[in-house]
Amino acid sequence: MVDADSCVIMINEAGNNLVSQGDFIDHSIGKPEPHLSDSATGRQLQKLISHGGSVEIPVGRKSYYVVVIPIAHDQSSGERGTKERLGAMLLFRSLAQIGHDLSRVSNQPTEDAFSQILGTAPVLVRARDLIARFAPINATILIQGETGTGKELAARACHDLSPRKNKSFLALNCAAIPENLAESELFGHEPGAFSGAGANGKPGLVELADGGTLFLDEIGELSPYIQAKLLRFLEDGSFLRVGGKAARRVDVRLIAATHRNLEKRVAEGRFRQDLYYRLNVLSLELPALRDRREDIPMLAETFTQRASRQIGRTPVDVPRTVMRHLQIADWPGNVRQLQNAIFRAVSMLKDSENHLSISAFPDNRASAKSDESLSEAPAEKVLESQILKAPDFKSAQALFERFLLRAHFKDHPSSRKLAKRLDISHTVAARKLKRAALKP
């Protein structure tokens, strides 16, 4: 708090941890002080005390955004009222805290990311195991996989399971931003660094993510110049803002993702080899949906129920013929495409309709087998094909077990009823239902 003469009259406990009260109490904010860089910084703050506003200033080795809120007292004088200026409140906010708040606003999942990685296929189980093992390790992760396989979800899961989980998680799609803006978005810029730059400068994502995680999607699209600057940042955590002269340092864990073959791009000279090695400390490959078709029924049911809740209608059923269609169809966009297709199909249903039909998925009919073929392809044939492709006996056994549970679950929708039908104990039935992600 400052008074009408811009003298500091109070510093709260958090502020006292930032600076020493003895250096500021009873001193004018407009004069150069030990913790402010120069008198120009103080004058900037003094100008804002009368009318309010915000400015970025350095305090010690870190930058803070200072929001100035003027405090005045109303005085009635005839028909017109006047205001007596009493002082102002100055709120210092670190860039890391701003990044954390930004992360909380932009990322509001209803459940943790790890639990949203759905499926029991062996290839996905292995990927989930790697996520759990990589999460607590403070090293860069390179996630590779086709578009729509859930690379950002995997990155969020790594963050949620890491010691940084209470810090910010910020993401940038490198393919969606023009090359001339990528450097500024990542590393920020100083005031007047280029045409159109703001008067107060701007922090980049690496500063806002300080203490947390920065996720760079489609990193293979970065230009050679940005690749070089990112490499330097990965070496020691230091960087320069655009137009800046003083190096800044932050503590950020980087997770990168791409659907490109980076090894091939390195061989072609389109991606720096040294950066590739820096990124590929921990490597995670996410499977395409065609390599885990046995998970499609679980995904389809989950997405159907989720879409019904979002639209605000009664739950929708997925008939077996439709489910077989979804399992055989091509999904080049993988899980994301399947989710979007189901949401569209549920949205197009009339209020009187309560089940999906094959005609609701016109975009996938040409690449899938015809309706006649589907009617001739019983679920047992699909199961046989999946079992024959299983990597080992245990995986094949798990596929058969899940098929058996699903086949009887609709007519025996409880662990006790299912246990009686299959002549197994209630405990075993409950455990197997949980493993198969089937809920009574």
Side-chain angles (χ1 to χ4, degrees), residues 331-379:
W331 300 103
N334 294 290
V335 178
R336 183 188 299 120
Q337 183 186 6
L338 174 65
Q339 183 175 11
N340 291 343
I342 289 177
F343 185 87
R344 182 176 62 245
V346 174
S347 301
M348 298 301 293
L349 286 177
K350 298 178 181 179
D351 293 339
S352 58
E353 297 175 319
N354 61 0
H355 63 271
L356 297 179
S357 63
I358 294 177
S359 61
F361 301 92
D363 296 342
N364 299 93
R365 297 185 71 184
S367 57
K369 297 182 179 180
S370 66
D371 293 349
E372 292 77 9
S373 299
L374 285 169
S375 61
E376 296 169 0

Side-chain angles (χ1 to χ4, degrees), residues 34-110:
H35 294 280
L36 299 180
S37 60
D38 51 37
S39 58
T41 301
R43 287 196 297 270
Q44 278 184 300
L45 288 175
Q46 194 171 31
K47 288 180 181 179
L48 296 176
I49 289 173
S50 60
H51 53 78
S54 62
V55 64
E56 180 186 355
I57 67 169
V59 180
R61 295 186 176 182
K62 291 191 174 183
S63 291
Y64 288 79
Y65 266 105
V66 183
V67 179
V68 181
I69 305 172
I71 300 175
H73 175 64
D74 287 329
Q75 288 184 326
S76 299
S77 177
E79 296 181 357
R80 290 188 176 183
T82 61
K83 288 190 175 183
E84 177 188 7
R85 188 163 67 89
L86 301 179
M89 178 187 296
L90 281 66
L91 304 177
F92 286 69
R93 307 196 67 222
S94 69
L95 298 184
Q97 181 60 45
I98 293 174
H100 182 241
D101 292 345
L102 178 63
S103 174
R104 293 181 64 183
V105 170
S106 58
N107 307 319
Q108 296 184 2
T110 55

Side-chain angles (χ1 to χ4, degrees), residues 268-330:
E268 296 171 347
R270 302 171 67 184
F271 198 84
R272 293 182 63 112
Q273 186 179 50
D274 46 6
L275 177 57
Y276 172 69
Y277 291 141
R278 279 282 182 183
L279 294 172
N280 198 28
V281 177
L282 302 174
S283 181
L284 175 65
E285 182 81 26
L286 294 183
L289 192 55
R290 64 179 174 275
D291 295 327
R292 56 184 190 106
R293 292 185 183 273
E294 62 266 38
D295 286 340
I296 289 180
M298 178 197 299
L299 293 169
E301 289 179 356
T302 300
F303 295 153
T304 301
Q305 301 310 312
R306 185 179 300 170
S308 299
R309 289 195 302 270
Q310 290 174 341
I311 297 170
R313 59 160 298 145
T314 55
V316 176
D317 183 48
V318 185
R320 289 190 178 184
T321 55
V322 176
M323 194 68 80
R324 288 202 295 270
H325 174 88
L326 297 179
Q327 280 193 281
I328 298 172
D330 263 346

Side-chain angles (χ1 to χ4, degrees), residues 65-190:
Y65 266 105
V66 183
V67 179
V68 181
I69 305 172
I71 300 175
H73 175 64
D74 287 329
Q75 288 184 326
S76 299
S77 177
E79 296 181 357
R80 290 188 176 183
T82 61
K83 288 190 175 183
E84 177 188 7
R85 188 163 67 89
L86 301 179
M89 178 187 296
L90 281 66
L91 304 177
F92 286 69
R93 307 196 67 222
S94 69
L95 298 184
Q97 181 60 45
I98 293 174
H100 182 241
D101 292 345
L102 178 63
S103 174
R104 293 181 64 183
V105 170
S106 58
N107 307 319
Q108 296 184 2
T110 55
E111 52 186 329
D112 67 280
F114 190 74
S115 67
Q116 295 182 59
I117 304 175
L118 303 175
T120 58
V123 287
L124 187 71
V125 171
R126 285 194 289 269
R128 283 170 56 93
D129 289 343
L130 285 177
I131 290 173
R133 289 167 56 188
F134 290 168
I137 304 173
N138 190 30
T140 56
I141 302 177
L142 179 61
I143 303 175
Q144 301 183 82
E146 296 180 8
T147 181
T149 50
K151 295 186 288 294
E152 182 169 350
L153 189 61
R156 290 184 192 275
C158 288
H159 173 77
D160 291 346
L161 297 176
S162 77
R164 300 172 182 262
K165 62 182 179 181
N166 294 323
K167 301 294 183 178
S168 50
F169 176 92
L170 298 179
L172 177 68
N173 188 326
C174 301
I177 185 169
E179 180 182 342
N180 60 332
L181 295 180
E183 183 179 12
S184 176
E185 285 295 314
L186 277 174
F187 302 107
H189 64 78
E190 297 291 357

